[in-house]
Amino acid sequence: MYDFIQGYYAYLFLATLFVIGLWGMMTKCNLMKKIMSMSVVQSTTILFWIVSAYKDDARVTVLDKSLGVDNPDIYLNPLPHTLMLTAIVVAVVTLGVSYALIINIYREYNTLDEPTLLERMK
Amino acid sequence: MSAYRKETTPPPYCIDERMKIPTESPVLHVASRGIAPVIMLIGLYVFFHGHYSPGGGFQGGVLLAAGVLLLRMTLGVTQSQKLMPTTLTLKLSAVGALIFAGTGLVALLCGGNFLDYHFLPVWFEPVYLRYYGILFIEVGVTITVMTTLIAIYDDLLGC
Amino acid sequence: MKALQYLSLAAFLAILFAVMVDLPPRGDLQAPAQKVVNEAGTPVAGTYYIQNAYKDAKTPNMVTVILADYRGFDTMGETIVVFTGGLACFFLLRRRP
């Protein structure tokens, strides 16, 4: 039981966080809260990749010349770190574009509440 | 497009002018003027030391943008225009993307594949040519990320 | 309607927990992504990058080498996405006369 919790607590936490983000996207009516929940889901995905790169008793992915590269188990896996590095910046930019869209909606209809918005769009 | 706009009063186009003027608090003025150059210096360090420690173009660009945006928030939009003018941001962003693509194009014109640093027309040893090729494109990434973040902030503020 | 939403969310959480047990535990050195050679006999990407990054580009930071050298074309796409996002923000929010 202790081994299970030590090996899987990160996945338990991330699954719960993912469902919290989905709950916000499904049930909240304000568009701003929907975007915040979408950001939570993005962060969960990024954290999941980072967890998958972890090795026990490993170092950061900078080469230490006194240790060498004969045993690759002493360095973390660098590939998920690279992919998520670009994903974080792109996530920030997509967040900016979605805020721009929301500002445009507010200028046009004067509300961000979804039922009111659907009524005014008729 | 929508009939709603005709029926009611015109929506408030100006979002909030209070975000554009300087803050009243003198503590924030003094602190931000002291901290912003340090943030930008750390950004430059993170960018140039990215070959030897955690860091690189994306992180350095975000830190440089944070330094400028701190002054945008405390000193107001008009007073911080000297550091990074609003009209210049998107142009510099295009220049950064062009530096990245241009490095690949020079390698293509000199006989290699796209982004193949061995064929850059600079006379170093071929192994170190890849070292400097990485530095060239990190410059482009840094300029693009920094200026795009500032441009998005300025656009959302409405100036 | 409200009950259906919460029911589907709970079902999704249960599915996630059931699938999670089959993943390799955190920090496992025998996970498929951390091996040297996979079942097909070809080198695994992450381990290959660890072993060859300094030899190829003389740069100790492996993340930088992957970002700008091995996957440089990918990073160029990301840069252009960032630029396009800034441009889209500008065109969405500019004042129309």
Side-chain angles (χ1 to χ4, degrees):
Chain A
M1 187 63 198
Y2 179 71
D3 282 347
F4 178 80
I5 291 177
Q6 201 188 15
Y8 290 93
Y9 76 94
Y11 297 124
L12 283 165
F13 169 72
L14 288 176
T16 317
L17 201 60
F18 194 93
V19 171
I20 288 174
L22 273 185
W23 167 77
M25 283 168 78
M26 280 171 70
T27 58
K28 294 295 167 188
C29 282
N30 197 331
L31 288 182
M32 199 73 195
K33 288 179 184 173
K34 278 182 193 284
I35 298 243
M36 287 159 70
S37 312
M38 190 188 76
S39 180
V40 169
V41 173
Q42 274 179 346
S43 306
T44 309
T45 318
I46 288 168
L47 277 172
F48 178 76
W49 279 72
I50 297 299
V51 165
S52 78
Y54 182 76
K55 297 178 187 171
D56 281 331
D57 300 327
R59 308 162 53 82
V60 275
T61 62
V62 179
L63 176 77
D64 192 343
K65 281 185 188 152
S66 61
L67 290 175
V69 287
D70 295 331
N71 181 17
D73 284 343
I74 59 172
Y75 297 109
L76 295 174
N77 199 346
L79 186 56
H81 288 107
T82 311
L83 298 177
M84 288 310 109
L85 180 59
T86 52
I88 289 170
V89 178
V90 171
V92 169
V93 174
T94 49
L95 214 57
V97 174
S98 50
Y99 284 153
L101 286 171
I102 279 201
I103 287 177
N104 261 358
I105 288 173
Y106 188 77
R107 279 179 187 169
E108 187 77 21
Y109 296 104
N110 239 340
T111 182
L112 283 182
D113 190 48
E114 207 181 3
T116 323
L117 190 64
L118 289 177
E119 194 176 320
R120 286 181 185 177
M121 277 170 74
K122 278 175 192 167
Chain B
M1 197 166 112
S2 80
Y4 174 70
R5 188 189 275 181
K6 293 167 197 157
E7 294 166 2
T8 57
T9 55
Y13 254 76
C14 187
I15 303 161
D16 197 352
E17 288 292 337
R18 277 174 303 173
M19 289 289 286
K20 297 185 188 176
I21 60 175
T23 53
E24 291 94 4
S25 164
V27 179
L28 283 181
H29 271 265
V30 174
S32 69
R33 279 184 199 168
I35 288 172
V38 180
I39 292 177
M40 295 175 76
L41 194 66
I42 290 176
L44 279 178
Y45 166 76
V46 165
F47 160 56
F48 278 111
H49 212 255
H51 283 62
Y52 301 102
S53 67
F58 284 103
Q59 298 97 316
V62 170
L63 273 172
L64 285 170
V68 178
L69 290 185
L70 181 62
L71 289 183
R72 279 267 201 281
M73 278 192 244
T74 54
L75 293 188
V77 173
T78 50
Q79 284 190 48
S80 62
Q81 288 288 315
K82 276 182 190 168
L83 191 57
M84 176 61 72
T86 306
T87 54
L88 199 62
T89 47
L90 271 179
K91 292 169 192 163
L92 270 180
S93 177
V95 166
L98 203 64
I99 287 174
F100 199 131
T103 308
L105 205 62
V106 168
L108 185 69
L109 292 179
C110 292
N113 287 323
F114 191 69
L115 285 171
D116 197 351
Y117 307 130
H118 281 286
F119 293 90
L120 287 179
V122 191
W123 284 273
F124 289 117
E125 291 177 44
V127 178
Y128 284 99
L129 214 51
R130 286 175 85 162
Y131 180 94
Y132 288 107
I134 291 174
L135 195 61
F136 283 152
I137 62 172
E138 294 266 5
V139 170
V141 168
T142 309
I143 295 175
T144 304
V145 170
M146 171 192 171
T147 50
T148 305
L149 289 185
I150 298 172
I152 287 178
Y153 179 79
D154 282 346
D155 287 339
L156 289 181
L157 210 55
C159 65
Chain C
M1 192 61 203
K2 210 78 169 176
L4 190 64
Q5 283 178 343
Y6 284 106
L7 202 65
S8 61
L9 278 177
F12 187 68
L13 188 64
I15 289 175
L16 278 185
F17 280 173
V19 169
M20 182 196 75
V21 182
D22 283 340
L23 286 172
R26 174 176 175 270
D28 188 15
L29 290 176
Q30 305 302 319
Q34 329 284 17
K35 282 182 188 169
V36 181
V37 176
N38 61 7
E39 282 84 2
T42 52
V44 176
T47 318
Y48 176 84
Y49 291 148
I50 289 175
Q51 283 170 340
N52 289 290
Y54 188 73
K55 208 163 49 183
D56 284 344
K58 294 291 174 202
T59 305
N61 192 351
M62 299 154 194
V63 172
T64 306
V65 179
I66 300 173
L67 185 80
D69 196 316
Y70 289 119
R71 293 182 180 237
F73 202 77
D74 196 2
T75 311
M76 195 187 83
E78 305 276 359
T79 312
I80 290 175
V81 164
V82 169
F83 171 59
T84 314
L87 212 61
C89 240
F90 173 70
F91 282 120
L92 278 173
L93 286 172
R94 69 176 170 175
R95 299 297 168 83
R96 291 182 185 79

